[in-house]
Amino acid sequence: MPIRLLTENETKQLSDKLQSLSKEDLRYFNPHSFDIETVKRLPSINEHWFYSLVVDDYNVGYGMIRKWDGFRAPTIGYVIWPEHRGKGYGNLIVEELVKEAHRLGFNAVKASVHWDNKASIATLRKRGFGFMGQVEEGIEKDYLWFGLSERRPD
């Protein structure tokens, strides 16, 4: 499997990569603080799973499955490192995160995406996600909800 659970040994490299993202990237991907202390705590957060996407021994991206109180379906999020974009890794990480969510026992998965993140919207649609609505308020008010409500065969 090309995704693997984030380990504490990888947190420094992850923090550095996240902090090096461009201002444009941060419009689309900003799920938590990127400082080393926050990133070190990620592997221990209950009902949140964080992954590295590894292809040919290279870390090409970062993804997460997060289960929030009050919601049955977890939310996925991901970023492909800029130097690895345009190679199909967005499709791969979404596919792998959905498989992992199903392996964890979830039948449905959702994702929130900035309204003008055309690449991520196309990736989610290609992987079978459907539009669910727009976030109306709060810090994610410029985001759209997409969901995948059925378990797909492996």
Side-chain angles (χ1 to χ4, degrees):
M1 175 172 10
I3 62 170
R4 67 173 185 231
L5 275 171
L6 180 69
T7 67
E8 194 171 323
N9 294 340
E10 298 171 301
T11 56
K12 171 71 170 107
Q13 177 191 19
L14 176 60
S15 177
D16 291 346
K17 283 291 236 184
L18 291 168
Q19 290 181 52
S20 73
L21 290 172
S22 72
K23 200 175 206 180
E24 181 73 6
D25 289 330
L26 295 176
R27 276 185 63 218
Y28 298 145
F29 186 79
N30 199 1
H32 52 72
S33 296
F34 298 156
D35 63 276
I36 187 62
E37 292 308 313
T38 299
V39 175
K40 276 185 178 177
R41 287 192 302 271
L42 294 177
S44 65
I45 298 174
N46 191 33
E47 293 197 309
H48 286 51
W49 300 268
F50 301 90
Y51 301 90
S52 296
L53 176 64
V54 180
V55 177
D56 296 329
D57 293 326
Y58 290 99
N59 181 326
V60 301
Y62 166 63
M64 63 197 71
I65 301 170
R66 300 183 295 172
K67 175 74 172 75
W68 300 103
D69 289 343
F71 294 96
R72 288 192 316 230
T75 302
I76 64 168
Y78 64 95
V79 63
I80 302 301
W81 307 128
E83 64 272 22
H84 297 290
R85 292 183 185 153
K87 300 174 184 174
Y89 296 140
N91 283 306
L92 179 59
I93 198 167
V94 169
E95 180 181 331
E96 292 297 319
L97 289 170
V98 169
K99 283 182 189 176
E100 184 68 3
H102 292 161
R103 190 191 68 72
L104 291 167
F106 299 105
N107 289 321
V109 181
K110 57 187 177 170
S112 64
V113 183
H114 195 275
W115 68 269
D116 70 345
N117 188 342
K118 292 176 180 34
S120 191
I121 290 170
T123 296
L124 292 170
R125 288 188 184 278
K126 184 176 182 178
R127 301 301 331 150
F129 282 72
F131 177 72
M132 294 172 55
Q134 183 168 353
V135 179
E136 298 294 330
E137 57 187 42
I139 60 172
E140 288 195 336
K141 68 181 168 95
D142 292 330
Y143 283 73
L144 308 174
W145 281 109
F146 286 83
L148 181 66
S149 62
E150 60 187 71
R151 182 173 282 187
R152 307 266 171 149
D154 293 336

